Amino acid sequence: MSRFSPSLGSQRTFGPQPVFPRQHLFIEDDETLSSMIAMGADMMTGESTLLEMSAYECIYGIPQSLLILLKESIEVIDEVNHHRMNNEGTSISEGLNLVCDDLEQNIMDWPLDERLHRYERSTNGISASIIYHQTRAFLNAPIIYFSQSIRLMIHQYLRQYAQAVLDSIEAIEQLKAETKILAAPLFWPAFMGATEAFEPRHQERFRLWYERVEVYGIEAVRTGIQVVHEVWRQGPTTNRQMHSGWRDVVERTGDYLLLT
């Protein structure tokens, strides 16, 4: 399980795990869940890495290129945190800033609209809709994560991304309810969106979502709800110094999060 840590070297917080070394990932043009299942069935004699990756795609239901982007974000953010702690300030070196700029562009340019058109043409119906919303939520979460950790942006600028996460995770649960699909959600996008939800109406919707998914019996450490409640209680920070409010909570309380 890979680190999604409040600071470099910390073992307190964990998140989704793009565990395969980049050179071992098979990047296929059509990275939808259905295509990866088909590829796995057609290539039973292929390398074990392909089969592992297919199973991983089935579990998360999102394109693998997005998982790679998350992995890169975690690594760069850890490096930035390390640099800032050593230099006791928010500025970073020119070289590291260029790395951040490139990563930010890759995140913001990720082709969500192209994916939507692809899923709309799919014959898989409900599955394609769920995968789209899962992908949309998962893309907006790294935008929030990067903006919190690298750009130190305040919540007014991140509200639209929290709203996008909320809309999609609600849509997924509604689709699952209508089709009687029982599958636990990914809590990481929900957690990231909720940590930037400071309008009462958004907080209430996140609360209702967390209550709705209690049926899956996932313990609080895996949902992050206790940290979210403390972030809401504290309210938004008006001048972020080193990192976001949820990191302050985790470091102060010593909580462990397993956001799977």
Side-chain angles (χ1 to χ4, degrees):
M1 184 172 293
S2 70
R3 283 180 300 116
F4 176 58
S5 58
S7 60
L8 185 68
S10 170
Q11 297 296 319
R12 290 178 181 169
T13 316
F14 295 82
Q17 46 170 350
V19 296
F20 306 116
R22 185 165 187 171
Q23 63 269 28
H24 293 157
L25 280 168
F26 182 84
I27 307 298
E28 208 263 343
D29 286 339
D30 185 354
E31 296 168 317
T32 64
L33 176 61
S34 58
S35 70
M36 297 315 302
I37 292 174
M39 185 190 71
D42 293 338
M43 301 182 67
M44 293 300 290
T45 59
E47 296 181 4
S48 60
T49 303
L50 299 184
L51 296 178
E52 287 183 273
M53 184 275 300
S54 179
Y56 191 70
E57 191 97 7
C58 291
I59 292 171
Y60 287 105
I62 54 177
Q64 56 191 312
S65 59
L66 201 50
L67 295 170
I68 293 173
L69 205 56
L70 172 60
K71 176 179 180 292
E72 292 174 347
S73 298
I74 292 170
E75 292 171 347
V76 171
I77 289 169
D78 272 355
E79 189 172 350
V80 168
N81 287 338
H82 181 62
H83 181 91
R84 285 173 172 164
M85 284 189 297
N86 286 342
N87 292 277
E88 298 183 348
T90 58
S91 62
I92 57 178
S93 66
E94 182 178 352
L96 186 53
N97 192 56
L98 290 175
V99 172
C100 292
D101 288 345
D102 288 343
L103 175 60
E104 183 175 36
Q105 183 169 348
N106 289 338
I107 294 172
M108 301 306 294
D109 289 348
W110 199 86
L112 181 62
D113 289 340
E114 178 184 310
R115 295 285 169 169
L116 173 59
H117 296 320
R118 185 178 299 180
Y119 297 147
E120 285 176 339
R121 294 194 301 269
S122 171
T123 59
N124 291 331
I126 296 299
S127 295
S129 296
I130 290 175
I131 292 170
Y132 167 71
H133 282 293
Q134 189 97 296
T135 300
R136 182 171 180 255
F138 210 92
L139 173 61
N140 280 277
I143 293 175
I144 295 171
Y145 182 33
F146 181 93
S147 300
Q148 287 177 337
S149 305
I150 304 295
R151 302 308 185 201
L152 305 177
M153 296 176 70
I154 58 177
H155 80 282
Q156 287 92 339
Y157 295 99
L158 302 179
R159 180 168 46 198
Q160 61 179 311
Y161 306 112
Q163 172 80 50
V165 170
L166 181 56
D167 289 344
S168 282
I169 62 175
E170 287 177 331
I172 291 169
E173 292 309 309
Q174 185 60 34
L175 286 167
K176 289 194 294 186
E178 292 172 356
T179 54
K180 302 188 185 309
I181 295 174
L182 188 64
L186 287 177
F187 285 100
W188 185 71
F191 174 82
M192 292 308 305
T195 61
E196 292 298 336
F198 293 103
E199 294 184 15
R201 60 192 178 93
H202 289 159
Q203 290 181 354
E204 181 60 22
R205 287 172 62 189
F206 272 111
R207 283 193 190 95
L208 291 174
W209 183 87
Y210 273 102
E211 289 176 4
R212 187 172 190 176
V213 299
E214 284 179 355
V215 66
Y216 300 108
I218 308 297
E219 57 186 317
V221 70
R222 291 186 177 272
T223 69
I225 187 60
Q226 294 171 339
V227 174
V228 167
H229 283 164
E230 180 60 19
V231 169
W232 290 349
R233 188 193 66 79
Q234 292 181 172
T237 55
T238 57
N239 183 25
R240 282 182 176 155
Q241 296 299 317
M242 293 290 285
H243 42 61
S244 61
W246 71 264
R247 288 178 181 269
D248 288 332
V249 172
V250 169
E251 291 182 348
R252 186 179 71 252
T253 62
D255 285 342
Y256 286 77
L257 300 178
L258 300 172
L259 301 173
T260 54

